[in-house]
Amino acid sequence: MDGSISVFDVQRAKFLHHLDGHTMPVRSLAYSPLDPRVLVSGSDDERIHMYDAEGKTLFSSMSGHSSWVLSVDVSPDGAAIASGSSDQTVKLWDPKMRVAVQTMTNHTDQVWGVKFEGGGGGVRGCLLASVSNDKSISLYNYS
């Protein structure tokens, strides 16, 4: 609730450290499938952060939603981040450029979940699903 993220060593059941940077509650976390050090977070502060979870470093921050970021996920190749928000949009982000490259506006209520699936290690043929309070699931195909 305070905007910090606690990192644990699960195998040793030990707290390691906090990751700071958000100013409001953190709603969603996703590790990069290609680099397990990279942790992406979404928060009520309308921002998406990228951390080096082992090095305790915030190395990127992106903004563009007009309300809470409720869900984040990283594409299978790590080249894209998806976010769902209470502003009723799904955004696709380029983490290197730190900008939203596409905004999907087909939901009519807040978007609680986004998830990439497939792609065989890349975005080619990858599906992105989103789920909303409008009682719909949307599927997006990237090729």
Side-chain angles (χ1 to χ4, degrees):
M1 294 305 289
D2 66 359
S4 68
I5 299 165
S6 297
V7 179
F8 292 85
D9 180 330
V10 176
Q11 291 178 339
R12 295 186 306 166
K14 180 181 176 185
F15 169 77
L16 297 176
H17 55 265
H18 290 289
L19 299 173
D20 296 314
H22 286 293
T23 59
M24 296 181 74
V26 175
R27 297 280 182 162
S28 182
L29 300 169
Y31 276 101
S32 170
L34 294 184
D35 186 351
R37 290 177 60 114
V38 176
L39 179 66
V40 177
S41 62
S43 169
D44 287 2
D45 62 12
E46 304 173 8
R47 302 190 71 76
I48 297 163
H49 286 174
M50 294 177 66
Y51 296 91
D52 176 339
E54 291 178 19
K56 307 180 221 177
T57 308
L58 170 64
F59 66 85
S60 183
S61 184
M62 299 172 283
S63 63
H65 282 291
S66 61
S67 191
W68 301 347
V69 178
L70 301 173
S71 183
V72 293
D73 197 25
V74 183
S75 66
D77 66 354
I81 296 170
S83 61
S85 172
S86 59
D87 68 7
Q88 305 176 6
T89 66
V90 173
K91 290 188 182 282
L92 188 66
W93 302 83
D94 181 325
K96 290 182 181 172
M97 294 176 47
R98 299 180 183 163
V99 296
V101 294
Q102 189 171 4
T103 301
M104 284 71 80
T105 59
N106 51 308
H107 287 295
T108 59
D109 205 338
Q110 53 195 359
V111 180
W112 279 101
V114 291
K115 177 71 176 149
F116 283 102
E117 190 60 43
V123 175
R124 178 164 303 247
C126 185
L127 288 177
L128 173 65
S130 63
V131 60
S132 169
N133 263 13
D134 65 11
K135 300 181 179 143
S136 73
I137 297 170
S138 294
L139 296 175
Y140 314 93
N141 187 11
Y142 295 96
S143 56

